[in-house]
Amino acid sequence: GCGLLMAPDGVPGAGFNGGGSCSDLPGGACQEQMDAAAARHPDATQLDLACKAPVCNRAGGAGTVVVTLRSGAQVTEAFAYTGDAGPIPLPACTGMPADVCRRVSASTVDGLPPSKRIRSITIACTTVPCTRDRGETQVDVQFTDGTEFTTNSGWEGGLP
């Protein structure tokens, strides 16, 4: 799977909603590339993406997408993207150990669209205490374009 599904405008759950898979792509990059392929192929029912570059991350990547059309025919295309090459800002966290903070931040960032540069990440423990074993947080991300994304994250039995 691709993790958190987001449209290019950062609204979770929007965009391509057919079947699909991603191999070695962060969730946000996966969804952006799925949406781009679906826009080129409105009759797509399945999109299977694979990173073919040495690494696919927020900074960029390249690979192939196998598009399965409603007719059953398949089309294979190349894709490439350039994203946020800047360093991810250190998260500002309250109510949790530093390693828990970093893990929640990394898990959230994976699902964010790489086309949007992150200005800041704030994570607050909402159910005290937040430990490696259990916790609930609210994560607020501000992008440099002025938009924001907020999500809640919870885990039990180990970090997300």
Side-chain angles (χ1 to χ4, degrees):
C2 290
L4 181 67
L5 298 180
M6 299 178 82
D9 63 0
V11 178
F16 178 71
N17 57 13
S21 67
C22 286
S23 176
D24 299 322
L25 279 168
C30 170
Q31 189 61 48
E32 282 190 336
Q33 294 308 308
M34 278 193 171
D35 290 344
R40 291 190 305 273
H41 301 281
D43 57 339
T45 59
Q46 175 89 9
L47 299 170
D48 296 300
L49 291 84
C51 176
K52 299 296 183 187
V55 70
C56 290
N57 56 27
R58 282 192 58 78
T64 58
V65 55
V66 176
V67 181
T68 303
L69 305 173
R70 193 168 290 116
S71 67
Q74 289 188 327
V75 178
T76 301
E77 297 177 339
F79 70 85
Y81 66 94
T82 302
D84 180 2
I88 303 301
L90 291 175
C93 295
T94 53
M96 70 200 76
D99 63 327
V100 172
C101 173
R102 286 189 298 272
R103 184 65 176 264
V104 171
S105 177
S107 177
T108 301
V109 166
D110 179 73
L112 299 175
S115 62
K116 296 181 72 133
R117 187 164 170 85
I118 299 170
R119 175 178 309 192
S120 66
I121 303 169
T122 305
I123 305 171
C125 182
T126 56
T127 303
V128 177
C130 285
T131 66
R132 289 173 193 83
D133 295 325
R134 161 184 6 200
E136 292 181 19
T137 60
Q138 178 174 313
V139 183
D140 295 303
V141 179
Q142 290 190 342
F143 297 100
T144 57
D145 66 3
T147 59
E148 297 180 4
F149 172 73
T150 299
T151 189
N152 294 310
S153 177
W155 63 95
E156 190 163 330
L159 288 170

